[in-house]
Amino acid sequence: MEKYSACDTCGHFNAQGLQKLGVKVEEVDYVIALAGNPNTGKSTVFNSLTGLRQHTGNWPGKTVIRAEGAYAYNDKKYKLIDLPGTYSLLSTSDDEEVARNFILFGKPDVTVVVVDASRLERNLNLVLQILEITDKAVLCLNLMDEAERNNISIDQRTLSRDLGIPVVATSARYNRGIPELIQTIEGVANGSIKCKAHHVINIPKNIKKATNNLVVELEKQFPKLPNKSWIALRLLQGDERIIKALESGELIVE
Amino acid sequence: MSKKVENIVEFANELRWQIGDELHDHLTESIYADAAKIASASVSTENSKKSFRLDAKIDKIVTSKIWGFPIMFLVLALVLWITIIGANYPSSMLATLLLDNVHPILKSFAASIGMPWWLDGFLIDGVYLALAWVIAVMLPPMAIFFPLFTMLEDFGYLPRVAFNMDYLFKKTGAHGKQALTMSMGFGCNAAGVVATRIIDSPRERLIAIITNNFSLCNGRWPTQILIATIFIGAVVPSSLSGFASVSAVISIAILGIGFMFLSSWLLTKTVLKGEVSTFNLELPPYRPPRIWKTIYTSLIDRTLIVLWRAMVFAVPAGAIIWLISNIYIGDESIAAWIINSLDGFGLILGLNGVILLAYIVAIPANEIVIPTILMLTVMVTGISGGEGAGVMFELDSVNETATILRAGGWTLLTAVNVMLFSLLHNPCSTTIYTIYKETKSVKWTVIASLLPLIMGFVVTFLVAQIWRVF
């Protein structure tokens, strides 16, 4: 496509006039996973990005199937995966498995973690677990309108610095912050925004030592394996799915 | 397993001995500690308690032991009331347009181009009228019911319903989240069956799937409303008839919930024994519903999709009705022949052959039960007022419908039993197919389809016997 006006190449204009592609998910440049606790408005974010009308409702556990949609921005096509809402990735219920397996094996280019701004602390548990798996993440601080109503204010800079990933405040119900979210996703996807994700620090010494030993061993056997310390932790917990994945080699990135 | 992986797993097992089995707890604790630290560094709140208090206040009322259930029924009654009253006018307008105006035009057009009688009858009296009926009768209530229901969802009332009913579900051995899938079933059973995916335990999920059909779905509300208006409303003074018919419909819906609990309990005591699993139910904050957006999306998403489905199924059903009424074996049409053979069984149940045949024809879509019954009744009784063999129609005045049904031998008992049977019979074909897709099991699909049907036979039989004694 030839470009004629400055508008065509202006990031902000394009974010406003986002090309929503609905279910046309073929030949995409980037794959974006949408994760988060139940009832944080993931589906609403998904809808405002893709133009789809995935049913939304104010009750946890509403999304039961993985929904896919797409949008185009600045000549790149993005595929968006709406994962089921989960509180954690450490247990083994079906919906958590779907979310975890996708972030791990689906190798999304960016994982957008949608959190409820008025319940940040509780939501951060999942964020930290996701950051153990992947570096390329964006925190979508959703439901800002509710947080404001409850007189909660969040220092986004501090939060972004502590987590080591970009933070975008949104109110997806009212389409606020969506252009900024799109730009940030682009930045993380093409590498112009560098993430240095926070890793959980105060792990007890003996666990840390065991993990390190296992990482050394993994380094020897599987040099190409990504996020080895997380995989080491899962192996220490005897996670069958991870053992299977090691065997099949699906964790290796080329 | 390859040597490499085996070594690693062995090494991991060895290390696990050194750190003990509290790994998971330690890890969770570390994550919580970090989360708390990060949150406290960036979040500040001023008098936040003030606004949370309103949510808590509403919750205290709608989930209270005394008010919880009455409020639930009141909300249901209100939604139904608005649906019934509001749907009347657009319904009769659509009926006038599609049945009284467009139908004769189509007929005379067919005559003018010399269409053979059988093609004209098949297409216009069969297929077109079936479609027109479904649009006229279904579209208005759905266009009111679905947005109202979606607004309740948006507001955050559904999780409170689940919270209220959790205790009852636990008593029956089912999962508390079944309250949510049950509520979805009031809109559409197929949607309710898909929604059971929120239930983790396979045992409890099966119970939720099998019993979802006891939620009176959207296709069955119009039947309930019409029969209640004609027969139940008529036994009380006219000033009370509206109240009596709404109460009758609500009683049927509540009876359905009762049967859902009963069969959940039966299943957990027999074929699906097991522990009740616990779950966390987060009561989300109340959110003001966005009225216009809700109306728009629920019209597009739910109403039109459900309507489309009904239309797709009404076309072949209309064709079949026309065909079986116009193809003769000897001197009787196939329809008359089936009705006569079903009549004996039907009468034992306090129903009749026409009603049973209508329920067979209407397996694809519950919505077409009433027009089929009317058409078949006119055909077998030979009274005037209908439009001829195999023509589905709607009568403009409720009185006329009542006259035809009474001529067909209907009594108050028939009406009560039709309402009961409409609640308790096999799910529609879409739901059956959805159940199969979700369970991947012929056995459970058959059980889910036959259990309510058998219950329907038993209940209508008992009601008929007791009724006839008095």
Side-chain angles (χ1 to χ4, degrees):
Chain A
M1 190 176 74
E2 204 125 341
K3 295 206 165 79
Y4 295 102
S5 78
C7 283
D8 284 331
T9 50
C10 158
H12 195 74
F13 170 81
N14 274 333
Q16 295 283 12
L18 172 75
Q19 213 187 329
K20 297 171 180 177
L21 297 174
V23 289
K24 285 174 260 165
V25 290
E26 310 87 30
E27 295 166 28
V28 291
D29 299 291
Y30 299 115
V31 176
I32 315 296
L34 214 53
N37 280 24
N39 222 44
T40 51
K42 276 189 310 301
S43 297
T44 314
V45 172
F46 177 84
N47 287 349
S48 44
L49 287 174
T50 58
L52 287 172
R53 288 180 308 266
Q54 153 105 307
H55 178 56
T56 61
N58 186 11
W59 47 287
K62 184 207 78 314
T63 307
V64 286
I65 25 180
R66 210 176 77 184
E68 296 189 358
Y71 68 90
Y73 171 58
N74 272 354
D75 262 0
K76 294 277 189 246
K77 276 180 79 174
Y78 296 77
K79 178 158 97 172
L80 203 60
I81 317 282
D82 189 11
L83 298 172
T86 55
Y87 293 103
S88 114
L89 298 178
L90 295 171
S91 65
T92 47
S93 77
D94 283 352
D95 43 354
E96 293 192 7
E97 197 104 301
V98 169
R100 192 194 75 182
N101 287 351
F102 187 80
I103 299 172
L104 200 56
F105 308 126
K107 301 181 194 98
D109 294 289
V110 183
T111 303
V112 177
V113 194
V114 183
V115 298
D116 180 346
S118 51
R119 287 163 178 70
L120 185 62
E121 182 178 336
R122 202 195 310 165
N123 283 224
L124 277 181
N125 292 316
L126 178 72
V127 177
L128 292 177
Q129 290 176 33
I130 289 174
L131 292 185
E132 292 294 316
I133 302 180
T134 174
D135 245 355
K136 297 185 109 186
V138 174
L139 187 76
C140 172
L141 213 46
N142 197 27
L143 303 171
M144 279 305 281
D145 51 310
E146 260 172 45
E148 277 158 28
R149 237 187 4 255
N150 292 325
N151 296 315
I152 295 171
S153 52
I154 295 171
D155 182 351
Q156 293 169 39
R157 273 170 188 242
T158 308
L159 185 61
S160 174
R161 203 178 50 223
D162 284 351
L163 290 174
I165 57 168
V167 172
V168 184
T170 61
S171 296
R173 269 154 71 83
Y174 306 101
N175 262 323
R176 290 210 300 259
I178 298 299
E180 291 79 0
L181 180 63
I182 291 161
Q183 288 163 17
T184 314
I185 292 173
E186 183 199 37
V188 175
N190 66 23
S192 67
I193 298 176
K194 294 268 185 292
C195 299
K196 200 176 177 317
H198 169 96
H199 288 278
V200 177
I201 23 178
N202 48 1
I203 293 174
K205 271 210 181 77
N206 56 340
I207 297 180
K208 193 134 215 170
K209 216 176 114 205
T211 318
N212 286 342
N213 286 341
L214 201 52
V215 168
V216 171
E217 194 60 27
L218 280 169
E219 193 83 54
K220 266 190 251 159
Q221 307 276 7
F222 304 94
K224 276 185 184 164
L225 205 63
N227 45 51
K228 294 187 190 67
S229 58
W230 190 83
I231 288 166
L233 263 179
R234 295 309 302 171
L235 286 173
L236 281 176
Q237 291 188 289
D239 188 326
E240 294 288 338
R241 182 69 182 85
I242 297 292
I243 295 171
K244 220 181 94 197
L246 268 187
E247 179 67 33
S248 70
E250 58 192 307
L251 286 162
I252 312 286
V253 268
E254 292 309 321
Chain B
M1 204 185 283
S2 74
K3 198 78 198 144
K4 269 191 342 184
V5 177
E6 222 167 88
N7 285 343
I8 288 281
V9 172
E10 217 165 90
F11 187 45
N13 288 342
E14 215 171 280
L15 287 167
R16 195 176 314 136
W17 281 107
Q18 297 169 17
I19 52 178
D21 51 4
E22 279 135 32
L23 175 63
H24 186 86
D25 292 350
H26 282 310
L27 209 59
T28 317
E29 271 166 34
S30 307
I31 291 170
Y32 271 67
D34 267 29
K37 217 174 93 193
I38 294 174
S40 72
S42 55
V43 178
S44 56
T45 55
E46 320 154 23
N47 54 15
S48 65
K49 274 186 185 142
K50 201 177 139 204
S51 37
F52 280 127
R53 212 178 287 156
L54 180 65
D55 273 22
K57 259 189 187 149
I58 301 178
D59 272 347
K60 211 166 184 181
I61 301 169
V62 300
T63 62
S64 91
K65 284 214 168 81
I66 306 165
W67 296 109
F69 279 89
I71 287 174
M72 256 166 52
F73 294 133
L74 211 67
V75 167
L76 178 66
L78 190 71
V79 168
L80 271 182
W81 181 265
I82 297 172
T83 307
I84 291 173
I85 302 298
N88 263 337
Y89 306 98
S91 240
S92 67
M93 270 167 56
L94 281 171
T96 314
L97 176 73
L98 296 173
L99 302 168
D100 299 348
N101 293 325
V102 177
H103 182 242
I105 294 173
L106 286 175
K107 287 294 264 187
S108 58
F109 173 73
S112 72
I113 59 164
M115 200 183 267
W117 73 270
W118 52 269
L119 188 61
D120 158 81
F122 180 81
L123 285 180
I124 299 172
D125 294 336
V127 174
Y128 170 77
L129 278 183
L131 270 179
W133 165 274
V134 167
I135 293 174
V137 171
M138 279 191 71
L139 181 60
M142 282 196 320
I144 300 172
F145 184 82
F146 281 150
L148 286 176
F149 195 81
T150 313
M151 262 181 246
L152 277 183
E153 252 181 80
D154 245 21
F155 179 57
Y157 185 62
L158 277 192
R160 273 82 190 176
V161 171
F163 183 85
N164 282 339
M165 302 189 81
D166 179 47
Y167 172 74
L168 292 172
F169 280 101
K170 209 165 89 190
K171 278 242 144 171
T172 58
H175 197 287
K177 280 188 192 166
Q178 199 178 320
L180 293 171
T181 62
M182 180 196 80
S183 311
M184 293 290 286
F186 281 121
C188 170
N189 294 135
V193 169
V194 176
T196 59
R197 292 182 189 178
I198 59 174
I199 298 171
D200 297 336
S201 129
R203 179 189 77 88
E204 287 157 330
R205 188 168 171 219
L206 261 178
I207 296 172
I209 289 176
I210 294 169
T211 58
N212 194 273
N213 190 42
F214 294 116
S215 294
L216 202 59
C217 76
N218 202 67
R220 294 182 271 171
W221 288 107
T223 309
Q224 299 288 349
I225 292 163
L226 187 70
I227 303 293
T229 313
I230 295 174
F231 288 92
I232 313 287
V235 293
V236 295
S238 60
S239 57
L240 292 174
S241 62
F243 175 74
S245 16
V246 169
S247 326
V249 176
I250 291 174
S251 315
I252 291 286
I254 293 174
L255 193 69
I257 297 175
F259 272 102
M260 186 270 304
F261 279 124
L262 177 71
S263 36
S264 300
W265 180 78
L266 283 176
L267 286 168
T268 56
K269 289 285 168 252
T270 55
V271 280
L272 288 169
K273 280 185 201 155
E275 289 292 303
V276 179
S277 58
T278 54
F279 69 103
N280 287 326
L281 183 71
E282 194 178 8
L283 292 184
Y286 293 102
R287 288 173 189 151
R290 290 148 305 160
I291 295 172
W292 291 111
K293 195 165 182 186
T294 304
I295 291 176
Y296 173 76
T297 49
S298 64
L299 274 182
I300 302 286
D301 274 6
R302 291 188 168 177
T303 312
L304 290 186
I305 285 172
V306 174
L307 184 71
W308 173 246
R309 188 190 81 81
M311 285 166 64
V312 167
F313 281 112
V315 170
I320 286 170
I321 293 169
W322 188 85
L323 284 175
I324 59 172
S325 313
N326 284 285
I327 296 176
Y328 281 74
I329 300 175
D331 12 307
E332 272 194 333
S333 68
I334 296 179
W337 186 82
I338 299 174
I339 289 168
N340 288 338
S341 48
L342 288 175
D343 239 357
F345 182 57
L347 287 175
I348 296 175
L349 301 178
L351 302 166
N352 59 40
V354 169
I355 297 167
L356 292 180
L357 175 59
Y359 271 99
I360 296 171
V361 174
I363 286 176
N366 280 296
E367 294 79 10
I368 55 173
V369 163
I370 289 291
T372 311
I373 288 177
L374 285 177
M375 185 273 295
L376 292 170
T377 305
V378 170
M379 201 190 68
V380 290
T381 53
I383 57 167
S384 62
E387 310 216 354
V391 183
M392 269 211 269
F393 57 90
E394 179 192 24
L395 296 150
D396 294 336
S397 102
V398 170
N399 285 333
E400 251 178 273
T401 314
T403 315
I404 291 196
L405 290 178
R406 291 215 170 85
W410 279 49
T411 60
L412 188 57
L413 168 67
T414 324
V416 169
N417 273 356
V418 166
M419 287 176 79
L420 287 170
F421 195 69
S422 157
L423 173 71
L424 303 169
H425 70 281
N426 53 287
C428 72
S429 52
T430 311
T431 306
I432 296 176
Y433 177 63
T434 311
I435 293 172
Y436 176 71
K437 270 206 318 206
E438 293 297 317
T439 60
K440 295 266 189 304
S441 144
V442 176
K443 179 183 141 200
W444 292 114
T445 310
V446 169
I447 290 179
S449 308
L450 293 186
L451 180 78
L453 186 65
I454 292 166
M455 282 191 161
F457 286 151
V458 171
V459 168
T460 49
F461 173 78
L462 289 178
V463 170
Q465 301 318 308
I466 295 167
W467 192 287
R468 280 165 188 154
V469 168
F470 292 104

mmCIF file with all atom_site columns, all heavy atoms in Angstrom, chain B residues 31-45:
data_model
loop_
_atom_site.group_PDB
_atom_site.id
_atom_site.type_symbol
_atom_site.label_atom_id
_atom_site.label_alt_id
_atom_site.label_comp_id
_atom_site.label_asym_id
_atom_site.label_entity_id
_atom_site.label_seq_id
_atom_site.pdbx_PDB_ins_code
_atom_site.Cartn_x
_atom_site.Cartn_y
_atom_site.Cartn_z
_atom_site.occupancy
_atom_site.B_iso_or_equiv
_atom_site.pdbx_formal_charge
_atom_site.auth_seq_id
_atom_site.auth_comp_id
_atom_site.auth_asym_id
_atom_site.auth_atom_id
_atom_site.pdbx_PDB_model_num
ATOM 1   N N   . ILE B 1 31 ? 5.616  -15.082 46.022 1.00 0.00 ? 31 ILE B N   1
ATOM 2   C CA  . ILE B 1 31 ? 4.894  -14.288 45.028 1.00 0.00 ? 31 ILE B CA  1
ATOM 3   C C   . ILE B 1 31 ? 3.972  -13.292 45.719 1.00 0.00 ? 31 ILE B C   1
ATOM 4   O O   . ILE B 1 31 ? 3.931  -12.112 45.366 1.00 0.00 ? 31 ILE B O   1
ATOM 5   C CB  . ILE B 1 31 ? 4.105  -15.212 44.080 1.00 0.00 ? 31 ILE B CB  1
ATOM 6   C CG1 . ILE B 1 31 ? 5.079  -15.994 43.202 1.00 0.00 ? 31 ILE B CG1 1
ATOM 7   C CG2 . ILE B 1 31 ? 3.148  -14.412 43.217 1.00 0.00 ? 31 ILE B CG2 1
ATOM 8   C CD1 . ILE B 1 31 ? 4.439  -17.096 42.398 1.00 0.00 ? 31 ILE B CD1 1
ATOM 9   N N   . TYR B 1 32 ? 3.258  -13.755 46.754 1.00 0.00 ? 32 TYR B N   1
ATOM 10  C CA  . TYR B 1 32 ? 2.351  -12.860 47.475 1.00 0.00 ? 32 TYR B CA  1
ATOM 11  C C   . TYR B 1 32 ? 3.105  -11.710 48.108 1.00 0.00 ? 32 TYR B C   1
ATOM 12  O O   . TYR B 1 32 ? 2.663  -10.560 48.070 1.00 0.00 ? 32 TYR B O   1
ATOM 13  C CB  . TYR B 1 32 ? 1.579  -13.639 48.557 1.00 0.00 ? 32 TYR B CB  1
ATOM 14  C CG  . TYR B 1 32 ? 0.300  -14.238 48.047 1.00 0.00 ? 32 TYR B CG  1
ATOM 15  C CD1 . TYR B 1 32 ? 0.341  -15.267 47.116 1.00 0.00 ? 32 TYR B CD1 1
ATOM 16  C CD2 . TYR B 1 32 ? -0.942 -13.778 48.471 1.00 0.00 ? 32 TYR B CD2 1
ATOM 17  C CE1 . TYR B 1 32 ? -0.823 -15.828 46.630 1.00 0.00 ? 32 TYR B CE1 1
ATOM 18  C CE2 . TYR B 1 32 ? -2.110 -14.335 47.986 1.00 0.00 ? 32 TYR B CE2 1
ATOM 19  C CZ  . TYR B 1 32 ? -2.052 -15.362 47.073 1.00 0.00 ? 32 TYR B CZ  1
ATOM 20  O OH  . TYR B 1 32 ? -3.193 -15.904 46.586 1.00 0.00 ? 32 TYR B OH  1
ATOM 21  N N   . ALA B 1 33 ? 4.257  -12.029 48.674 1.00 0.00 ? 33 ALA B N   1
ATOM 22  C CA  . ALA B 1 33 ? 5.045  -10.992 49.337 1.00 0.00 ? 33 ALA B CA  1
ATOM 23  C C   . ALA B 1 33 ? 5.483  -9.941  48.330 1.00 0.00 ? 33 ALA B C   1
ATOM 24  O O   . ALA B 1 33 ? 5.375  -8.730  48.579 1.00 0.00 ? 33 ALA B O   1
ATOM 25  C CB  . ALA B 1 33 ? 6.258  -11.619 50.013 1.00 0.00 ? 33 ALA B CB  1
ATOM 26  N N   . ASP B 1 34 ? 5.961  -10.405 47.181 1.00 0.00 ? 34 ASP B N   1
ATOM 27  C CA  . ASP B 1 34 ? 6.390  -9.468  46.142 1.00 0.00 ? 34 ASP B CA  1
ATOM 28  C C   . ASP B 1 34 ? 5.232  -8.613  45.653 1.00 0.00 ? 34 ASP B C   1
ATOM 29  O O   . ASP B 1 34 ? 5.372  -7.404  45.469 1.00 0.00 ? 34 ASP B O   1
ATOM 30  C CB  . ASP B 1 34 ? 6.983  -10.237 44.956 1.00 0.00 ? 34 ASP B CB  1
ATOM 31  C CG  . ASP B 1 34 ? 8.483  -10.384 45.093 1.00 0.00 ? 34 ASP B CG  1
ATOM 32  O OD1 . ASP B 1 34 ? 8.946  -10.414 46.248 1.00 0.00 ? 34 ASP B OD1 1
ATOM 33  O OD2 . ASP B 1 34 ? 9.164  -10.443 44.059 1.00 0.00 ? 34 ASP B OD2 1
ATOM 34  N N   . ALA B 1 35 ? 4.087  -9.278  45.434 1.00 0.00 ? 35 ALA B N   1
ATOM 35  C CA  . ALA B 1 35 ? 2.916  -8.559  44.931 1.00 0.00 ? 35 ALA B CA  1
ATOM 36  C C   . ALA B 1 35 ? 2.521  -7.469  45.907 1.00 0.00 ? 35 ALA B C   1
ATOM 37  O O   . ALA B 1 35 ? 2.245  -6.332  45.512 1.00 0.00 ? 35 ALA B O   1
ATOM 38  C CB  . ALA B 1 35 ? 1.759  -9.533  44.707 1.00 0.00 ? 35 ALA B CB  1
ATOM 39  N N   . ALA B 1 36 ? 2.538  -7.806  47.198 1.00 0.00 ? 36 ALA B N   1
ATOM 40  C CA  . ALA B 1 36 ? 2.143  -6.831  48.210 1.00 0.00 ? 36 ALA B CA  1
ATOM 41  C C   . ALA B 1 36 ? 3.096  -5.649  48.210 1.00 0.00 ? 36 ALA B C   1
ATOM 42  O O   . ALA B 1 36 ? 2.681  -4.490  48.307 1.00 0.00 ? 36 ALA B O   1
ATOM 43  C CB  . ALA B 1 36 ? 2.118  -7.495  49.584 1.00 0.00 ? 36 ALA B CB  1
ATOM 44  N N   . LYS B 1 37 ? 4.400  -5.952  48.070 1.00 0.00 ? 37 LYS B N   1
ATOM 45  C CA  . LYS B 1 37 ? 5.397  -4.891  48.100 1.00 0.00 ? 37 LYS B CA  1
ATOM 46  C C   . LYS B 1 37 ? 5.236  -3.949  46.902 1.00 0.00 ? 37 LYS B C   1
ATOM 47  O O   . LYS B 1 37 ? 5.225  -2.727  47.044 1.00 0.00 ? 37 LYS B O   1
ATOM 48  C CB  . LYS B 1 37 ? 6.804  -5.518  48.087 1.00 0.00 ? 37 LYS B CB  1
ATOM 49  C CG  . LYS B 1 37 ? 7.792  -4.756  48.949 1.00 0.00 ? 37 LYS B CG  1
ATOM 50  C CD  . LYS B 1 37 ? 9.123  -5.457  49.034 1.00 0.00 ? 37 LYS B CD  1
ATOM 51  C CE  . LYS B 1 37 ? 10.076 -4.938  47.968 1.00 0.00 ? 37 LYS B CE  1
ATOM 52  N NZ  . LYS B 1 37 ? 11.262 -5.760  47.794 1.00 0.00 ? 37 LYS B NZ  1
ATOM 53  N N   . ILE B 1 38 ? 5.088  -4.559  45.727 1.00 0.00 ? 38 ILE B N   1
ATOM 54  C CA  . ILE B 1 38 ? 4.962  -3.745  44.513 1.00 0.00 ? 38 ILE B CA  1
ATOM 55  C C   . ILE B 1 38 ? 3.695  -2.899  44.577 1.00 0.00 ? 38 ILE B C   1
ATOM 56  O O   . ILE B 1 38 ? 3.698  -1.710  44.244 1.00 0.00 ? 38 ILE B O   1
ATOM 57  C CB  . ILE B 1 38 ? 4.956  -4.643  43.261 1.00 0.00 ? 38 ILE B CB  1
ATOM 58  C CG1 . ILE B 1 38 ? 6.324  -5.313  43.110 1.00 0.00 ? 38 ILE B CG1 1
ATOM 59  C CG2 . ILE B 1 38 ? 4.626  -3.831  42.017 1.00 0.00 ? 38 ILE B CG2 1
ATOM 60  C CD1 . ILE B 1 38 ? 6.391  -6.320  41.998 1.00 0.00 ? 38 ILE B CD1 1
ATOM 61  N N   . ALA B 1 39 ? 2.595  -3.528  45.023 1.00 0.00 ? 39 ALA B N   1
ATOM 62  C CA  . ALA B 1 39 ? 1.331  -2.796  45.070 1.00 0.00 ? 39 ALA B CA  1
ATOM 63  C C   . ALA B 1 39 ? 1.420  -1.626  46.038 1.00 0.00 ? 39 ALA B C   1
ATOM 64  O O   . ALA B 1 39 ? 0.982  -0.519  45.732 1.00 0.00 ? 39 ALA B O   1
ATOM 65  C CB  . ALA B 1 39 ? 0.200  -3.742  45.465 1.00 0.00 ? 39 ALA B CB  1
ATOM 66  N N   . SER B 1 40 ? 2.029  -1.859  47.189 1.00 0.00 ? 40 SER B N   1
ATOM 67  C CA  . SER B 1 40 ? 2.054  -0.788  48.186 1.00 0.00 ? 40 SER B CA  1
ATOM 68  C C   . SER B 1 40 ? 2.923  0.379   47.726 1.00 0.00 ? 40 SER B C   1
ATOM 69  O O   . SER B 1 40 ? 2.728  1.511   48.150 1.00 0.00 ? 40 SER B O   1
ATOM 70  C CB  . SER B 1 40 ? 2.535  -1.322  49.536 1.00 0.00 ? 40 SER B CB  1
ATOM 71  O OG  . SER B 1 40 ? 3.911  -1.593  49.461 1.00 0.00 ? 40 SER B OG  1
ATOM 72  N N   . ALA B 1 41 ? 3.870  0.101   46.825 1.00 0.00 ? 41 ALA B N   1
ATOM 73  C CA  . ALA B 1 41 ? 4.734  1.173   46.349 1.00 0.00 ? 41 ALA B CA  1
ATOM 74  C C   . ALA B 1 41 ? 4.029  2.083   45.353 1.00 0.00 ? 41 ALA B C   1
ATOM 75  O O   . ALA B 1 41 ? 4.395  3.239   45.185 1.00 0.00 ? 41 ALA B O   1
ATOM 76  C CB  . ALA B 1 41 ? 5.991  0.577   45.707 1.00 0.00 ? 41 ALA B CB  1
ATOM 77  N N   . SER B 1 42 ? 3.010  1.578   44.686 1.00 0.00 ? 42 SER B N   1
ATOM 78  C CA  . SER B 1 42 ? 2.424  2.402   43.624 1.00 0.00 ? 42 SER B CA  1
ATOM 79  C C   . SER B 1 42 ? 0.944  2.739   43.826 1.00 0.00 ? 42 SER B C   1
ATOM 80  O O   . SER B 1 42 ? 0.418  3.607   43.153 1.00 0.00 ? 42 SER B O   1
ATOM 81  C CB  . SER B 1 42 ? 2.612  1.723   42.267 1.00 0.00 ? 42 SER B CB  1
ATOM 82  O OG  . SER B 1 42 ? 2.083  0.430   42.308 1.00 0.00 ? 42 SER B OG  1
ATOM 83  N N   . VAL B 1 43 ? 0.277  2.033   44.738 1.00 0.00 ? 43 VAL B N   1
ATOM 84  C CA  . VAL B 1 43 ? -1.152 2.287   44.912 1.00 0.00 ? 43 VAL B CA  1
ATOM 85  C C   . VAL B 1 43 ? -1.382 3.158   46.127 1.00 0.00 ? 43 VAL B C   1
ATOM 86  O O   . VAL B 1 43 ? -0.821 2.903   47.194 1.00 0.00 ? 43 VAL B O   1
ATOM 87  C CB  . VAL B 1 43 ? -1.925 0.958   45.096 1.00 0.00 ? 43 VAL B CB  1
ATOM 88  C CG1 . VAL B 1 43 ? -3.407 1.233   45.316 1.00 0.00 ? 43 VAL B CG1 1
ATOM 89  C CG2 . VAL B 1 43 ? -1.731 0.076   43.886 1.00 0.00 ? 43 VAL B CG2 1
ATOM 90  N N   . SER B 1 44 ? -2.177 4.202   45.965 1.00 0.00 ? 44 SER B N   1
ATOM 91  C CA  . SER B 1 44 ? -2.570 4.970   47.141 1.00 0.00 ? 44 SER B CA  1
ATOM 92  C C   . SER B 1 44 ? -4.078 5.158   47.119 1.00 0.00 ? 44 SER B C   1
ATOM 93  O O   . SER B 1 44 ? -4.679 5.357   46.076 1.00 0.00 ? 44 SER B O   1
ATOM 94  C CB  . SER B 1 44 ? -1.858 6.320   47.160 1.00 0.00 ? 44 SER B CB  1
ATOM 95  O OG  . SER B 1 44 ? -2.122 6.998   45.953 1.00 0.00 ? 44 SER B OG  1
ATOM 96  N N   . THR B 1 45 ? -4.670 5.044   48.280 1.00 0.00 ? 45 THR B N   1
ATOM 97  C CA  . THR B 1 45 ? -6.119 5.187   48.350 1.00 0.00 ? 45 THR B CA  1
ATOM 98  C C   . THR B 1 45 ? -6.469 6.231   49.379 1.00 0.00 ? 45 THR B C   1
ATOM 99  O O   . THR B 1 45 ? -5.824 6.345   50.417 1.00 0.00 ? 45 THR B O   1
ATOM 100 C CB  . THR B 1 45 ? -6.784 3.869   48.773 1.00 0.00 ? 45 THR B CB  1
ATOM 101 O OG1 . THR B 1 45 ? -6.185 3.461   49.998 1.00 0.00 ? 45 THR B OG1 1
ATOM 102 C CG2 . THR B 1 45 ? -6.598 2.789   47.750 1.00 0.00 ? 45 THR B CG2 1
#
